[in-house]
Amino acid sequence: MVWAAAAHAQAQTPALSSWDTALPAPQLKSSSQLAEQLPAELRDQLPSHIRAEQISGQADINVVLEGGAELRRGDTIIRADRVEYSLPDDTVRAQGNVHINSGGNIYQGTSLKLQVDAFQGDFNEATYQFLATQGHGDAERIEFLDRENSVVHQATYTTCLRDDSASWEPDWMIRAKRITLDRNEDVGVAYGGILEFKGVPILPIPAISFPLSDKRKSGLLPPTIGVDSVSGFEYSQPYYWNIAPNRDATITPAIMSKRGVSLNTEFRYLEPNYDGNLDLQYMPNDKLRDRDRWGYHWRHDTALNSPFGALGLKWNLLRVSDNDYWRDFSRLPGDSSDSRYSDQRLLSSDGRLSWAGGNHRVSLYAQQWQVLQDPEALIAPPFNRMPQLQWSYDTTQWATQGWDVALRADTTRFEADTWYGAKNLANGQRSFAHFAASRPFLLPGGFVTPSVKLQANHYQLSASQTQLDAVNSGYARSRSFAIPTLSLDSGLVFERDTSAFGRSYVQTLEPRAFYTYTPYRDQSMVPLYDTALTDFNFGSIYSSNSYTGYDRIADNNMVTVGLTTRYLDPDDGAEVARLGFAQRYRLENQRVSLGYDKPGTKGWSDILIGGGVNWSKRWSTDAMVQYNQDTHNTTRSSGISLPARKQYAYGQ
């Protein structure tokens, strides 16, 4: 065994021969970093390093270290007030503030007896913490069987991270008479234990196993117990099945005293070219409805590279057995939240096949809705897309020349289910082509962006014109229109150094003016498939269309003016605070509408006033007020606090 010792006295270095006097004398350097794992065959060959204020002993028999004693061999460090090491049996006895670091796993206690290489022994009144999971606890005694196995007596175990507060307690903890820890299999087993939550015992556990790393492990998960007026007493017991590194399943049988038994299964898979998950729910002979109940959700995503281009296939299928499913079950398939309170009655199933090659993108999309109807609150069925064919052209090469260009074409078959027993006369085909081009001019202190858009739509309804006229639908069986839009966006950015609340900032002043013009085209004779009114906010007030979707393009002749000031961090340009206002002035009355909205009128709109503050890296607050200057009333106000994100001023 090779030894190296360090004490207060500096060791004398023997003289070197004449031919190697140019070489530096070898020096022993301590290191605070250890290798996490060392090959077993190298352990017997590793030297031991000792350090203490006082070192005594007999050569090849024993050594006594006192005062800041430390023994280090390979990936193991032992520190204590006093350490006795017996060379013949490779045994350490340590007393007082004993600390062990073995491959990053930390043990601390009062007294230790340990065979170092075999790593066998006992540690009294100890605490422990594992490097891989930060799992930790305390014990009356830790029995080391070898480097990978140990038994912890009268012990606790948790993975909740400890903070510095004196009142800290873990969210959960296992308290057991005995815990065996197998780090080779990364499994711990607690015997005679109790599961505690926030310091309160909630469940006795005769025996339970748990992982010691982030490695998945098959086994029982915590059960769910509940009582309600619909299901009665309910007990569900999930079982996690670790099928393979890239596949797993959670199987959850449940018993409901008033309804019967049910089975939920969630299967997940991950492959190099595809992944997905399948969630199945089945309840045979539900006593509540006197029928079988079922639901499923299947999400799948495939991406392939071929000589002909990139291919993609996705689907998201969601279906349930009946209209009352959302009432009777706490969640829908694929939903981790409690859908009983989210009123999720519109279930979408969709799929997309896509291809990309060169500058071209083509996709074929289909979507079908299941509406869970309530006789007392009927929902108009949304339009299914059966199917939708899209084409777009990648215009990245235009961007390199300073242009922003978009090209897109779309044709979609829209079909809705019957409504009050009558066929939906709005079913039909919509095709459109969309072109947009803009040329931003960036100036040292501002920008100017002229743009032009052109959209051409064509509609062909399934019903005959006679059928449409018979019910005064107002629709034309065939209708086409093309509508151009011109706009000019401009703004200036002024900056100055300032300070507030003892901190330095860069303050900006950003006036902005936006003009847009779209001529009037009558669009009232075509249905509304995917169009709605946009929310009036700081994003939409600088847009050229008042509607989302492609069925209505508002006739606009208006100017929007606004002013924003920001406080920026001078070090990284992150936005600390923001305050702004904006107002729109219409030069003409708007004539296009959805039929249920109020078109804009000539003159000034309501004033938008809004701002935000990033209080810290974690939290920010945004607020907005819509003020009507004619009535001198606040039309609307809103505010929200969110996890903060860095925002930057224009041009940064």
Side-chain angles (χ1 to χ4, degrees):
M1 182 70 68
V2 181
W3 283 85
H8 284 308
Q10 177 68 43
Q12 297 295 320
T13 304
L16 300 176
S17 60
S18 58
W19 55 269
D20 61 358
T21 54
L23 297 176
Q27 298 290 329
L28 178 65
K29 294 183 179 180
S30 62
S31 173
S32 60
Q33 296 182 344
L34 297 174
E36 294 185 15
Q37 292 184 348
L38 291 174
E41 61 272 12
L42 295 181
R43 291 187 182 276
D44 293 338
Q45 306 175 26
L46 294 175
S48 295
H49 304 274
I50 59 175
R51 179 199 301 270
E53 294 179 2
Q54 182 177 345
I55 301 176
S56 60
Q58 296 175 286
D60 298 327
I61 298 178
N62 68 352
V63 63
V64 178
L65 312 176
E66 295 181 290
E70 177 182 305
L71 183 148
R72 177 159 63 93
R73 183 185 301 170
D75 59 356
T76 300
I77 290 181
I78 300 174
R79 298 190 182 99
D81 295 338
R82 174 185 172 87
V83 173
E84 297 181 13
Y85 181 75
S86 173
L87 276 71
D89 56 5
D90 191 32
T91 300
V92 165
R93 290 176 173 83
Q95 298 286 333
N97 299 313
V98 184
H99 175 101
I100 302 176
N101 186 328
S102 178
N105 301 314
I106 305 297
Y107 306 87
Q108 299 184 81
T110 58
S111 62
L112 169 71
K113 178 182 178 182
L114 181 72
Q115 288 183 286
V116 181
D117 277 344
F119 212 78
Q120 295 177 349
D122 294 292
F123 204 178
N124 296 321
E125 298 179 16
T127 64
Y128 61 94
Q129 179 170 330
F130 298 128
L131 175 66
T133 62
Q134 298 300 302
H136 60 93
D138 52 53
E140 287 187 2
R141 181 170 67 94
I142 299 178
E143 180 183 357
F144 297 112
L145 305 180
D146 54 43
R147 291 187 175 274
E148 305 298 336
N149 294 274
S150 57
V151 180
V152 189
H153 299 273
Q154 300 298 328
T156 64
Y157 179 83
T158 182
T159 56
C160 300
L161 297 181
R162 180 184 295 274
D163 58 32
D164 296 331
S165 63
S167 60
W168 176 86
E169 63 177 4
D171 290 340
W172 70 270
M173 174 187 291
I174 295 176
R175 190 180 300 274
K177 294 181 179 179
R178 178 168 55 94
I179 301 177
T180 62
L181 303 173
D182 186 346
R183 292 186 43 79
N184 189 40
E185 297 293 334
D186 283 330
V187 173
V189 182
Y191 299 94
I194 295 177
L195 178 62
E196 295 184 359
F197 179 75
K198 292 292 187 180
V200 178
I202 61 173
L203 186 67
I205 304 174
I208 187 174
S209 64
F210 52 90
L212 299 179
S213 69
D214 55 2
K215 186 188 302 182
R216 302 195 308 270
K217 175 184 178 294
S218 298
L220 295 175
L221 300 177
T224 299
I225 302 173
V227 178
D228 64 32
S229 59
V230 176
S231 303
F233 175 79
E234 180 177 352
Y235 178 87
S236 60
Q237 177 59 69
Y239 177 81
Y240 178 77
W241 182 15
N242 182 28
I243 303 172
N246 61 331
R247 295 185 185 89
D248 64 9
T250 303
I251 304 169
T252 309
I255 300 176
M256 304 178 191
S257 61
K258 292 185 177 181
R259 299 173 60 181
V261 298
S262 67
L263 180 65
N264 296 349
T265 302
E266 182 182 9
F267 172 65
R268 301 187 300 178
Y269 54 94
L270 176 63
E271 298 291 345
N273 296 321
Y274 64 89
D275 65 88
N277 60 275
L278 176 63
D279 190 357
L280 302 173
Q281 299 180 3
Y282 179 65
M283 187 174 193
N285 192 24
D286 185 356
K287 297 177 183 178
L288 180 65
R289 302 291 176 183
D290 195 23
R291 60 166 296 175
D292 293 350
R293 315 291 295 279
W294 54 264
Y296 67 85
H297 174 256
W298 187 7
R299 182 200 63 81
H300 180 87
D301 190 352
T302 300
L304 298 173
N305 291 321
S306 71
F308 310 102
L311 299 175
L313 176 62
K314 299 181 180 180
W315 63 73
N316 191 72
L317 309 179
L318 175 60
R319 282 294 181 269
V320 296
S321 58
D322 55 85
N323 287 331
D324 294 313
Y325 203 92
W326 66 280
R327 300 175 183 272
D328 302 338
F329 292 89
S330 60
R331 73 176 188 93
L332 294 176
D335 183 11
S336 59
S337 64
D338 194 335
S339 58
R340 179 177 295 173
Y341 302 101
S342 64
D343 195 16
Q344 188 175 353
R345 297 168 56 194
L346 293 175
L347 310 185
S348 172
S349 292
D350 59 84
R352 185 185 300 274
L353 177 63
S354 60
W355 169 83
N359 295 326
H360 299 274
R361 304 288 186 272
V362 178
S363 68
L364 183 65
Y365 177 75
Q367 180 185 39
Q368 190 170 43
W369 295 90
Q370 180 184 11
V371 183
L372 306 186
Q373 293 287 13
D374 182 351
E376 298 180 358
L378 294 176
I379 299 176
F383 284 96
N384 303 317
R385 300 169 188 257
M386 302 296 291
Q388 179 181 30
L389 180 62
Q390 294 179 329
W391 167 86
S392 63
Y393 187 79
D394 186 357
T395 58
T396 305
Q397 71 274 16
W398 291 91
T400 60
Q401 303 175 24
W403 288 86
D404 292 330
V405 180
L407 293 171
R408 182 182 177 188
D410 181 297
T411 181
T412 305
R413 176 70 182 178
F414 290 95
E415 293 183 354
D417 295 335
T418 57
W419 180 236
Y420 288 104
K423 184 176 178 62
N424 197 320
L425 297 179
N427 291 346
Q429 189 86 15
R430 182 193 70 188
S431 303
F432 73 84
H434 177 82
F435 168 79
S438 62
R439 178 63 167 88
F441 295 94
L442 301 180
L443 308 175
F447 66 95
V448 177
T449 306
S451 66
V452 59
K453 298 178 183 178
L454 178 65
Q455 182 165 316
N457 286 29
H458 175 73
Y459 294 81
Q460 186 70 38
L461 303 188
S462 301
S464 66
Q465 191 63 56
T466 302
Q467 292 174 313
L468 297 172
D469 294 340
V471 295
N472 295 320
S473 66
Y475 297 149
R477 186 172 189 271
S478 180
R479 181 77 170 175
S480 300
F481 55 79
I483 303 176
T485 297
L486 302 175
S487 66
L488 180 66
D489 195 4
S490 61
L492 297 174
V493 180
F494 301 97
E495 294 183 354
R496 69 166 186 169
D497 295 328
T498 188
S499 61
F501 304 104
R503 292 183 57 186
S504 298
Y505 298 100
V506 174
Q507 183 186 8
T508 70
L509 190 65
E510 305 169 27
R512 183 178 178 183
F514 175 78
Y515 172 76
T516 184
Y517 173 75
T518 302
Y520 170 74
R521 297 289 187 272
D522 183 12
Q523 303 157 56
S524 61
M525 300 180 70
V526 298
L528 296 173
Y529 290 132
D530 57 4
T531 298
L533 181 67
T534 60
D535 185 41
F536 188 59
N537 53 39
F538 278 93
S540 63
I541 200 170
Y542 290 104
S543 65
S544 58
N545 191 12
S546 306
Y547 304 114
T548 62
Y550 296 93
D551 297 311
R552 293 291 187 273
I553 301 175
D555 55 314
N556 288 324
N557 187 9
M558 59 188 183
V559 177
T560 300
V561 293
L563 182 66
T564 301
T565 182
R566 307 175 197 266
Y567 284 82
L568 309 177
D569 189 317
D571 296 328
D572 60 6
E575 182 182 282
V576 179
R578 177 188 74 260
L579 178 65
F581 82 90
Q583 191 174 20
R584 172 186 290 169
Y585 182 80
R586 288 189 177 272
L587 302 172
E588 298 176 0
N589 290 334
Q590 179 184 336
R591 299 169 62 186
V592 175
S593 72
L594 302 178
Y596 57 83
D597 61 324
K598 182 180 179 181
T601 57
K602 182 178 179 180
W604 289 103
S605 69
D606 291 350
I607 302 175
L608 290 180
I609 304 173
V613 177
N614 291 326
W615 302 103
S616 67
K617 294 181 179 180
R618 293 179 176 268
W619 291 99
S620 67
T621 299
D622 282 286
M624 187 191 73
V625 174
Q626 182 178 336
Y627 178 76
N628 189 306
Q629 59 184 352
D630 296 328
T631 62
H632 303 287
N633 290 322
T634 298
T635 305
R636 186 184 61 163
S637 61
S638 63
I640 188 171
S641 293
L642 296 170
R645 57 184 180 184
K646 286 190 175 182
Q647 301 178 12
Y648 298 91
Y650 183 87
Q652 294 186 332

